[in-house]
Amino acid sequence: MKFNLTIQEIYEKKVTVEAENWHEALMETIKRNNKGDIIIEDHDLRECNVDIEGWPYQVFDKWTIEDVEKYVNETTCWSEQNLTETEMRQALYIMSNDNETKGFSKEKLDKSLAIVANNR
């Protein structure tokens, strides 16, 4: 599974780390950042809020179409719907634009899949 991590100092930079779980991804990113492997360049210089909980590290899941497809196939109510790949991509897109809470979850995916299924 891949995770997107945001490193916030005065400016932020998004990096992608391959890891088995979010904790491993976080630890690897902290290690890389402390070693100076992650360099913030001019095009990364977007000011951000430095007053967040857990500063300077924050973790967000990065879901792929494969993750959505796996979830749909493992969940009886969704597998019976015979959703197309396009519909699963639409659900992933809807979920990524949901700003109620940060990150992705199965509850958000269920909500997004329901929207797509109802729009058929």
Side-chain angles (χ1 to χ4, degrees), residues 3 15 19 21 25 28 50 66 69 73 77 85-86 91 95 101 116 119:
F3 296 88
V15 295
N21 56 54
E28 178 62 27
V50 296
E66 290 82 16
E69 191 171 5
N73 291 334
C77 67
E85 183 177 337
T86 301
M95 186 170 63
T101 57
V116 170
N119 289 338

Side-chain angles (χ1 to χ4, degrees), residues 5-17:
L5 289 93
T6 300
I7 300 168
Q8 294 192 333
E9 291 175 339
I10 295 174
Y11 300 99
E12 73 177 22
K13 178 181 182 101
K14 293 191 185 303
V15 295
T16 301
V17 175

Side-chain angles (χ1 to χ4, degrees), residues 67-75 78 106 109-110 113:
D67 296 324
V68 174
E69 191 171 5
K70 180 180 176 187
Y71 178 73
V72 166
N73 291 334
E74 291 174 352
T75 309
W78 295 122
K106 290 181 181 177
L109 182 55
D110 283 332
L113 288 167

Side-chain angles (χ1 to χ4, degrees), residues 28-87:
E28 178 62 27
T29 304
I30 291 170
K31 235 189 285 183
R32 285 178 53 200
N33 189 45
N34 288 345
K35 281 197 227 174
D37 293 343
I38 299 171
I39 298 168
I40 295 179
E41 299 170 355
D42 287 344
H43 59 82
D44 297 319
L45 297 181
R46 193 186 89 189
E47 286 194 36
C48 63
N49 178 8
V50 296
D51 232 357
I52 62 166
E53 186 177 341
W55 180 84
Y57 306 106
Q58 189 174 14
V59 177
F60 298 92
D61 290 344
K62 178 181 179 181
W63 283 41
T64 64
I65 189 64
E66 290 82 16
D67 296 324
V68 174
E69 191 171 5
K70 180 180 176 187
Y71 178 73
V72 166
N73 291 334
E74 291 174 352
T75 309
T76 307
C77 67
W78 295 122
S79 62
E80 291 172 351
Q81 295 280 331
N82 294 322
L83 296 167
T84 65
E85 183 177 337
T86 301
E87 289 172 323

